Amino acid sequence: MQIIGEKINGTRKRVAQAIAERDAAFIADLARRQAEAGAAWLDVNAGTMPAQEPEDLLWLINTIQGVVDTPLSLDSANPAALRVAVQAVRKTPLINSISREPERLAGILPIVAAHGCQVIALAMDGKKIPETSAQRMEVIQGIIAETRNAGVRDSHVYVDTLAMTLSTNVQSAMIAFDTMRAVRQEFPEAHLTIGLSNISFGLPARSFVNRYFLALAMQAGLDSAILDPLDREIRAAILTTQLLLGRDPHCLSFIRASRKGAFDPPTAA
Ligand code: THG
């Protein structure tokens, strides 16, 4: 299970402030802690102002690379920002994301192909997210036809099946699981990912909803997720689920993590 650390996201108030004030220490700390917690990538989102985005993203990348060498997930739909960013990264990044929207594909896919990046493909067409698993598969088939055509191999594609909140559609999780299984069947080389916290928007006890959703999604084939790597309970859930799914040879990761205190009650601060 590969974790994409979500915390360096300019849509979060505190991060937006750090970007505006060029508070490198705050960003560096988020980078270091997520890397230490085992993130395979750090998602980097510079926020929602297109004119500022290339410059802010570049500052974030340089700040993060000053303290960790974890590869980055460049969370932007803006080709101009992505072009600047792919020149600045030391390790080949994950591009987050493309969809089947023709303009987005035309703007971003050439960058992915030219730099040998991995790419997250959202199961959506423009702004609307298809309701059923069959409709999402149709969109995914369309995107993978395009990535193949551009010379991007399936193993570089991370399909984000999307999880709408259960509070507006109680079938949301089941739709996501069905789509995951269908992707696994039809595109066995492709990876799967999800923005974990979407599933629980508007609900109480979100951390429970997120955690059990993650476990069930892993059984449906999920092999990466955008989440908070600093959340101990989520990390414990991942370790335990991998053990149960037979993905932890000799229970080694589970036992090692246990020795390091991963399942101990949290110590009082
Ligand atoms: N799919 C893909 N990319 C994504 C998403 C997705 N990128 C953005 C988002 N969704 C995932 N990233 C975050 C980053 C931060 C938070 C949630 C998702 C976050 N949320 C707090 C919460 O949920 O309570 C509130 C904000 C805060 O703490 O300030 O932190 O689905 N491909």
Side-chain angles (χ1 to χ4, degrees), residues 109 139-152 154 187:
L109 198 46
V139 170
I140 292 160
Q141 287 155 357
I143 297 174
I144 291 187
E146 297 280 351
T147 52
R148 285 177 175 176
N149 197 39
V152 176
D154 288 3
F187 305 106

Side-chain angles (χ1 to χ4, degrees), residues 7-117:
K7 298 199 85 78
I8 304 177
N9 191 311
T11 66
R12 300 176 65 213
K13 266 207 185 103
R14 189 58 189 85
V15 173
Q17 185 193 341
I19 295 170
E21 295 171 356
R22 293 295 189 253
D23 181 354
F26 183 83
I27 300 297
D29 180 59
L30 286 181
R32 220 183 273 115
R33 285 159 61 210
Q34 293 185 97
E36 277 167 12
W41 289 278
L42 301 182
D43 196 61
V44 188
N45 181 314
T48 49
M49 290 183 298
Q52 267 304 112
E53 200 186 346
E55 199 183 322
D56 287 350
L57 189 56
L58 190 59
W59 176 78
L60 283 171
I61 290 167
N62 290 329
T63 303
I64 296 163
Q65 291 187 151
V67 288
V68 298
D69 57 13
T70 311
L72 303 179
S73 161
L74 303 173
D75 192 345
S76 172
N78 176 353
L82 288 172
R83 271 192 294 272
V84 170
V86 291
Q87 298 298 332
V89 291
R90 280 202 296 261
K91 293 197 169 157
T92 307
L94 175 62
I95 303 294
N96 183 13
S97 55
I98 54 174
S99 68
R100 204 176 63 176
E101 196 178 358
E103 282 164 41
R104 192 147 167 189
L105 279 171
I108 298 176
L109 198 46
I111 302 171
V112 172
H115 296 269
C117 303

